[in-house]
Amino acid sequence: MSAAGRFRTFAWVGAIALGAGLAAYLARPSGRTALDVKRSSFRTTPDGVAAFARGLERFDRPTAPRLTPLADADPVPGALVLLSPAVVPSPVEVHALLERVRRGGTLVYAPQLSPALASTLRITPLMDSLGIAFRVPRPGDLEEPEWAAHPLTDGLPEPAPPRRALRRITAREFPPVQALLTVGRDRDRRWTGAGLMALGEGHVIVLGDAEPLSNGRIADDPLTFVVMRAVLTHTAPSDTIFFAEFHQGIRGYESTARRWAGFVFGTDRGRTLLQLLLAAFLALACAGLRFGAPTTAAAPQDRERRSPLEHVSALGDLYEKARARRTAALLLLARLARSVRRPPPRDVAEARALIRELETRRGEQPGLARIRRGLRADPVDLTMVAAGIDDHLGRRAES
């Protein structure tokens, strides 16, 4: 194969690898805005809340991920951030969580407006326990946002209009919600964009939407400062603030190799990329492009071939080392058996029967006598057996 042809082949392979790497880089989950929005402290994409977690750490509040459910697992932490959970907490988890809040815990909660919920009101068990629901917006309901009079909102710039608002469930008695952010044109009936709820000895900070805490909005929305002030006010420096990653669909830490394997085999983009890559290499194979010159069939000129005697000698040494002289003798007698159209002998008894048959046909001969003596020797005399076979077959050919 010429140097130019070899270069062309490797150029095609390099182009395919480069194209596949570029496509994988552009389609990787960490390099683009995720289509499946997750308010996770692990994510640095615009939808994640890693910046909010780092901000709490700068104010001496350590943070950690919570990778287990809130029931039948580790104890419920004293401070928990639960933002737009993709996995809705079960009633058992809700009970354990609120009991921990009543004993002095702190919860930052933004419910998820999920169309997957069967109820038209889209009320989760935790929302029902807190007595809150989403306000179905009408024209003007999300306009004219204002801070409520509260120490947590002092000195802040004008709030940004929220995307969603909350309303109270009036069917039964619930702990009151102290509004922090209100919206709506109707001054007599305004809705809650963010609020603070006292529950036993603890507190719940409720948000209509978690987007103000996301990486993409945290620098521009003053509601972030209200939430941070509330967390710092109702937690101690020794408290660790846990982010409920389990309810974002994250079950544990993953290696880079496992994330790439999940991308390649678990996503449509990854499977498409893998199929295109395989198709490209299949096209190379069908084009008959080689990666080098084929191995020549002829032996190199500087190597001398072994003579037949050397092969026989080497084979004899192997049988000698394996202590298989009897087996070698039976293999030698196969040639003699073929001369009279008989199957090769499988043991010494069949070999002796073959010799008797030959003596019956042609009488006693020196070659057959040598073979018999060689088989009787201990160990078997292969030289004598081979000489007897040659002598017998030679006399037969002369006659």
Side-chain angles (χ1 to χ4, degrees):
M1 188 176 184
S2 65
R6 186 178 296 107
F7 174 78
R8 184 170 57 254
T9 300
F10 282 102
W12 273 108
V13 174
I16 293 173
L18 180 62
L22 181 62
Y25 178 81
L26 295 177
R28 76 194 194 283
S30 60
R32 58 184 173 84
T33 301
L35 298 178
D36 53 334
V37 175
K38 290 184 178 180
R39 307 301 184 187
S40 169
S41 62
F42 288 127
R43 284 199 173 186
T44 57
T45 48
D47 63 303
V49 293
F52 177 63
R54 302 296 87 79
L56 292 174
E57 291 177 351
R58 292 187 62 182
F59 287 99
D60 299 326
R61 294 297 189 274
T63 63
R66 169 84 181 199
L67 302 172
T68 56
L70 300 175
D72 300 327
D74 299 331
V76 179
L80 184 73
V81 178
L82 184 63
L83 302 175
S84 302
V87 180
V88 177
S90 66
V92 177
E93 291 179 295
V94 170
H95 176 76
L97 175 60
L98 295 185
E99 284 298 316
R100 181 65 183 87
V101 173
R102 291 187 181 96
R103 296 197 305 269
T106 302
L107 171 64
V108 179
Y109 177 52
Q112 168 77 329
L113 182 61
S114 174
L117 296 178
S119 173
T120 56
L121 297 177
R122 296 172 182 170
I123 298 177
T124 65
L126 182 54
M127 296 173 68
D128 181 70
S129 299
L130 296 176
I132 58 175
F134 284 109
R135 165 66 179 173
V136 179
R138 297 176 182 176
D141 281 352
L142 299 179
E143 298 178 2
E144 300 182 11
E146 289 183 359
W147 297 120
H150 195 279
L152 297 177
T153 61
D154 287 345
L156 293 179
E158 292 295 323
R163 297 190 307 170
R164 303 186 189 102
L166 300 173
R167 62 178 179 85
R168 295 292 288 163
I169 300 176
T170 58
R172 58 185 190 272
E173 293 294 329
F174 292 100
V177 176
Q178 188 173 7
L180 299 175
L181 174 64
T182 60
V183 292
R185 288 180 185 174
D186 189 353
R187 291 292 172 177
D188 297 330
R189 191 177 187 184
R190 292 176 63 82
W191 309 106
T192 302
L196 182 64
M197 181 184 301
L199 191 63
E201 299 179 3
H203 296 82
V204 179
I205 301 109
V206 293
L207 305 172
D209 186 18
E211 188 180 18
L213 302 183
S214 65
N215 299 325
R217 288 279 305 275
I218 190 171
D220 302 322
D221 200 317
L223 183 58
T224 304
F225 297 101
V226 176
V227 178
M228 281 196 173
R229 287 176 177 180
V231 172
L232 296 175
T233 300
H234 299 293
T235 59
S238 59
D239 292 337
T240 299
I241 301 171
F242 287 85
F243 284 75
E245 303 295 348
F246 177 88
H247 294 87
Q248 300 295 335
I250 300 174
R251 300 294 185 266
Y253 296 98
E254 292 183 343
S255 63
T256 302
R258 186 172 180 179
R259 286 197 300 271
W260 274 105
F263 165 68
V264 173
F265 298 105
T267 63
D268 294 337
R269 288 180 176 82
R271 288 190 291 267
T272 301
L273 179 62
L274 178 62
Q275 292 172 7
L276 291 177
L277 189 61
L278 293 178
F281 279 106
L282 181 61
L284 281 180
C286 293
L289 297 178
R290 295 199 304 263
F291 294 89
T295 304
T296 57
Q301 297 180 357
D302 58 342
R303 292 187 182 180
E304 296 182 359
R305 300 186 62 184
R306 286 186 176 184
S307 67
L309 291 177
E310 287 179 324
H311 282 286
V312 172
S313 177
L315 186 62
D317 290 341
L318 291 177
Y319 279 112
E320 182 72 26
K321 292 178 181 179
R323 298 181 180 179
R325 282 176 165 268
R326 195 177 301 277
T327 301
L330 295 176
L331 292 176
L332 291 173
L333 290 173
R335 179 186 171 197
L336 189 63
R338 284 196 300 270
S339 67
V340 292
R341 298 179 181 179
R342 290 288 183 271
R346 293 171 295 182
D347 51 30
V348 175
E350 291 184 2
R352 290 172 180 171
L354 175 63
I355 294 172
R356 287 195 299 268
E357 182 179 351
L358 292 173
E359 288 177 342
T360 302
R361 290 186 180 186
R362 306 183 63 88
E364 294 186 2
Q365 295 184 8
L368 297 178
R370 283 186 179 183
I371 296 173
R372 184 180 290 108
R373 289 196 302 272
L375 291 175
R376 288 176 179 174
D378 188 17
V380 176
D381 192 339
L382 294 178
T383 303
M384 186 175 293
V385 172
I389 294 173
D390 291 339
D391 180 62
H392 175 76
L393 293 179
R395 290 177 181 274
R396 182 179 176 181
E398 291 176 358
S399 61

